[in-house]
Amino acid sequence: MKFLLIVSAFAIVGSCAETKYSTKIENLENSVKIKDSELIIEYSNSITATDLKSRLAVFASEEFQGRGTGKEGQKKATDYLKKFYKSKAIAPAVNDSTYYQTIPADFLPEGIGTSENVLAYIKGSEKPEEVLIISGHLDHLGVENDSIHFGADDNGSGSMAITEIAEAFKLAELQGHSPKRSILFLHLTAEEIGLQGSKFYVENPIFELNKTIANLNIDMIGRVDERHENNPNYIYIIGADRISKELQYISSKTNEAFTNLELDYKYNAENDRNRYYYRSDHYNFAKQNIPVIFYFNGEHQDYHKPTDTHEKINYPLLAKRTKLIFATAWQLANRTHFLTHNEEI
């Protein structure tokens, strides 16, 4: 009898503890409120399929030779991005003088040479030392067996989405609506050879990592995979709840308010055999305990092939997905407090 009473007592304590945790989770979710809806809609309208198409036609063109890390085509891609930010008066982030974070040859695999991340930013009006990072890799596979791997979806789509998001935030800033936190637009090199650009950034950060609220990483958002052929109105969300459940709640409620995409969490499963959570640049930020979202459309028949060309991009869908990321970034950059991490619940 005594044993049964002790077991029962433990069961009650365990139940109370679990109830307390579930209550905290519920309160956390309920505390997420969407703000600035009219402003977000206004500036989202500057993100267009037409702009994305005209830019990606250049970025994934023959001239850029597949943007192989360290190659001439990759240098042209970084120059293209630098000129874009300069033309829009979006400031450089490295010592206020250059848009490049140079990665020395000895950091990269042998034979690659030097390469560059491209960094631009908009300074926060209230908490400039805190930063939201919006990232995507600019490199691709270059030329293999005399065939150009154009990399329109991988990751021309993400690269051009970042330029549209940056332009929308710049327009807001010019009209008196600067973000409270700084926003870093981070185009990473050397992802295809082992996430080297993001690894270099976290080892040589421009903004303090412990003051980085989150990383929104965009890698392939311009196509539709076989799983969604009959319902292309989707995006895979990977990693959003791994470090901060609050980030996933913000993501979900933002989508409900503005874009109504299907947020597919299939590849966020801990036992996902594809291990996508570990395969793009957000992972190097996650390893630093920075909350992340990886936006992804899934693989398709042209993945890592020369046939990944710009005319196969679904530009209206690319624009819609870009608007979701912009709206989510707006919420994060303008929220009153830092994200609650799961370990704090």
Side-chain angles (χ1 to χ4, degrees):
M1 179 66 72
K2 185 176 181 182
F3 174 76
L4 290 175
L5 288 173
I6 292 172
V7 170
S8 298
F10 275 118
I12 292 170
V13 171
S15 176
C16 290
E18 187 169 332
T19 300
K20 186 177 181 181
Y21 177 79
S22 64
T23 300
K24 286 181 178 180
I25 290 293
E26 183 179 357
N27 290 341
L28 183 65
E29 183 174 10
N30 291 338
S31 72
V32 173
K33 308 295 181 185
I34 299 303
K35 299 180 180 179
D36 299 333
S37 294
E38 291 184 2
L39 290 174
I40 289 171
I41 292 170
E42 177 182 351
Y43 295 114
S44 287
N45 287 335
S46 70
I47 296 170
T48 68
T50 300
D51 282 350
L52 287 161
K53 185 175 183 178
S54 64
R55 293 175 194 171
L56 188 50
V58 176
F59 201 73
S61 69
E62 183 176 345
E63 179 186 1
F64 285 53
Q65 293 288 294
R67 308 185 304 278
T69 303
K71 304 296 184 182
E72 182 181 356
Q74 180 251 297
K75 308 295 183 181
K76 289 183 177 181
T78 55
D79 185 62
Y80 175 89
L81 292 166
K82 179 182 76 173
K83 287 178 177 176
F84 168 80
Y85 286 115
K86 197 169 185 179
S87 72
K88 301 299 180 181
I90 300 172
V94 183
N95 300 324
D96 295 327
S97 61
T98 177
Y99 291 92
Y100 293 165
Q101 182 184 43
T102 300
I103 303 176
D106 61 6
F107 188 88
L108 298 169
E110 186 176 353
I112 297 296
T114 61
S115 192
E116 303 82 23
N117 292 329
V118 179
L119 301 84
Y121 92 120
I122 292 175
K123 187 175 182 179
S125 60
E126 295 183 15
K127 302 177 179 182
E129 74 286 352
E130 295 182 8
V131 66
L132 167 68
I133 297 178
I134 304 175
S135 68
H137 71 92
L138 63 90
D139 64 306
H140 194 51
L141 300 178
V143 180
E144 295 181 351
N145 300 320
D146 297 324
S147 295
I148 299 172
H149 288 254
F150 294 97
D153 192 28
D154 185 12
N155 181 38
S157 60
S159 299
M160 297 305 95
I162 294 171
T163 66
E164 280 286 89
I165 293 168
E167 190 173 12
F169 273 110
K170 183 63 180 181
L171 180 61
E173 179 192 48
L174 292 172
Q175 295 180 358
H177 302 290
S178 297
K180 292 178 180 178
R181 290 179 179 81
S182 296
I183 304 176
L184 177 62
F185 307 102
L186 178 58
H187 297 266
L188 294 156
T189 190
E191 188 268 357
E192 297 284 9
I193 58 172
L195 316 183
Q196 297 296 307
S198 53
K199 182 175 186 290
F200 186 83
Y201 179 86
V202 299
E203 292 181 10
N204 303 271
I206 305 304
F207 291 87
E208 293 181 44
L209 297 180
N210 64 1
K211 293 183 179 178
T212 300
I213 186 171
N215 168 228
L216 306 181
N217 186 53
I218 314 169
D219 191 354
M220 298 175 58
I221 62 165
R223 295 282 295 270
V224 175
D225 68 359
E226 290 185 4
R227 175 179 164 87
H228 295 88
E229 284 181 348
N230 297 321
N231 178 27
N233 190 54
Y234 78 99
I235 188 72
Y236 289 109
I237 298 292
I238 302 172
D241 65 342
R242 299 281 184 107
I243 297 170
S244 171
K245 292 182 184 298
E246 186 175 24
L247 177 58
Q248 181 160 301
Y249 298 143
I250 291 169
S251 169
S252 176
K253 290 189 178 184
T254 300
N255 178 58
E256 290 174 5
F258 301 106
T259 46
N260 199 31
L261 288 159
E262 176 197 344
L263 303 185
D264 193 329
Y265 299 102
K266 173 181 172 62
Y267 296 127
N268 189 48
E270 294 280 354
N271 62 351
D272 170 36
R273 61 183 178 84
N274 297 282
R275 293 177 60 81
Y276 289 126
Y277 179 68
Y278 308 94
R279 289 173 51 184
S280 192
D281 287 304
H282 61 279
Y283 184 58
N284 279 323
F285 292 96
K287 287 195 292 185
Q288 302 297 321
N289 203 36
I290 295 169
V292 302
I293 299 178
F294 172 22
Y295 297 93
F296 180 51
N297 54 217
E299 295 182 17
H300 45 74
Q301 62 184 1
D302 299 307
Y303 173 69
H304 276 198
K305 294 179 180 178
T307 48
D308 180 12
T309 52
H310 70 87
E311 69 273 8
K312 295 180 180 179
I313 297 294
N314 184 329
Y315 288 101
L317 182 58
L318 174 56
K320 188 173 186 179
R321 290 165 170 169
T322 304
K323 289 179 179 183
L324 168 63
I325 301 165
F326 167 74
T328 304
W330 185 290
Q331 296 300 314
L332 292 167
N334 289 291
R335 64 189 286 101
T336 57
H337 61 278
F338 229 59
L339 286 170
T340 300
H341 289 203
N342 295 342
E343 62 202 29
E344 299 167 343
I345 298 173

